Amino acid sequence: MLYLAIKALLSGIIIAAVSEIAKRWPGFGALVASLPLVSILGMLWLWRDTKDIERMAAHAEGTFWFVLPSLPMFLLIPFLLRRGVGFYPALVSGCALTIGLYMGMVFIGPRFGLKL
């Protein structure tokens, strides 16, 4: 249980740090947010828990393929905001786009040999 609490606390600290940095320096906050910190922590926790090379390789490869459909969200949200759409509708639109693209990746990816 302590291990789970440590993982949750560390992950929460990263999110809080990103939001505080972005308040002062939006560009630097974006840089920190774009770092694959969650992916690295996930890989560290997975490795610690399993020591399974094939599972780790599949996780890292899957992470790569699932990052791709999330990227358009970061273009849609600022596009909508700059055209007067409110923050929450823009955020929901970006999330909906990402969900749709994730679904596309899950259903279409295996047809191209991707193991997701």
Side-chain angles (χ1 to χ4, degrees):
M1 189 63 168
L2 177 62
Y3 176 56
L4 179 61
I6 290 170
K7 290 193 303 189
L9 180 64
L10 185 55
S11 301
I13 288 170
I14 290 170
I15 293 168
V18 167
S19 69
E20 290 301 312
I21 292 168
K23 283 183 198 176
R24 292 177 180 82
W25 307 285
F28 187 56
L31 171 68
V32 175
S34 73
L35 295 173
L37 297 173
V38 172
S39 298
I40 291 169
L41 284 175
M43 287 190 281
L44 287 170
W45 304 139
L46 180 61
W47 182 254
R48 183 186 181 280
D49 293 344
T50 68
K51 302 275 193 295
D52 183 333
I53 290 171
E54 185 52 40
R55 184 180 302 242
M56 181 58 64
H59 173 75
E61 185 175 31
T63 299
F64 170 80
W65 289 111
F66 280 118
V67 164
L68 297 177
S70 71
L71 294 177
M73 175 181 74
F74 297 104
L75 297 175
L76 179 63
I77 292 172
F79 174 82
L80 293 174
L81 290 172
R82 290 185 177 121
R83 276 150 187 80
V85 175
F87 170 72
Y88 289 109
L91 181 63
V92 168
S93 297
C95 290
L97 173 65
T98 300
I99 290 168
L101 293 172
Y102 279 157
M103 289 174 56
M105 181 65 80
V106 167
F107 293 115
I108 296 170
R111 293 182 185 172
F112 294 97
L114 299 178
K115 294 178 183 177
L116 302 173

